[in-house]
Amino acid sequence: MFPDRLKQLRSDKGLSQQRLADLLNKAQSSINQYEHSQSEPDIDTLIQLSKVFDTSVDYLVGNTSCNVSID
């Protein structure tokens, strides 16, 4: 669930893996591994991702199907 949502959100926002990695201060290979289920982000990275994509951590990890923005 998470890899698919990450790919979709990144695509919707028009971000390359490298640009997202830069925003998160991560290596591009980390983003690639997240998207291919080879590793999982820690909670701090999930929180950063939720801010970048203006959504909830619950949506990112598949606990809800409602993609609502956070305030």
Side-chain angles (χ1 to χ4, degrees), residues 8-16 19 53:
Q8 186 62 53
L9 289 166
R10 185 176 59 76
S11 175
D12 290 349
K13 207 150 176 116
L15 297 174
S16 66
R19 180 65 183 132
F53 295 121

Side-chain angles (χ1 to χ4, degrees), residues 13 45-56 60 70:
K13 207 150 176 116
T45 302
L46 285 170
I47 291 168
Q48 287 179 306
L49 285 165
S50 74
K51 290 177 181 177
V52 167
F53 295 121
D54 196 27
T55 193
S56 68
L60 285 171
I70 56 174

Side-chain angles (χ1 to χ4, degrees), residues 5-60:
R5 291 207 170 156
L6 178 59
K7 281 187 238 183
Q8 186 62 53
L9 289 166
R10 185 176 59 76
S11 175
D12 290 349
K13 207 150 176 116
L15 297 174
S16 66
Q17 286 184 351
Q18 184 61 59
R19 180 65 183 132
L20 179 57
D22 292 345
L23 290 171
L24 299 175
N25 206 20
K26 299 275 184 191
Q28 179 272 330
S29 60
S30 294
I31 305 303
N32 189 54
Q33 289 173 354
Y34 299 156
E35 290 187 0
H36 290 93
S37 300
Q38 295 170 340
S39 71
E40 295 180 352
D42 60 24
I43 188 64
D44 291 332
T45 302
L46 285 170
I47 291 168
Q48 287 179 306
L49 285 165
S50 74
K51 290 177 181 177
V52 167
F53 295 121
D54 196 27
T55 193
S56 68
V57 171
D58 279 339
Y59 178 76
L60 285 171

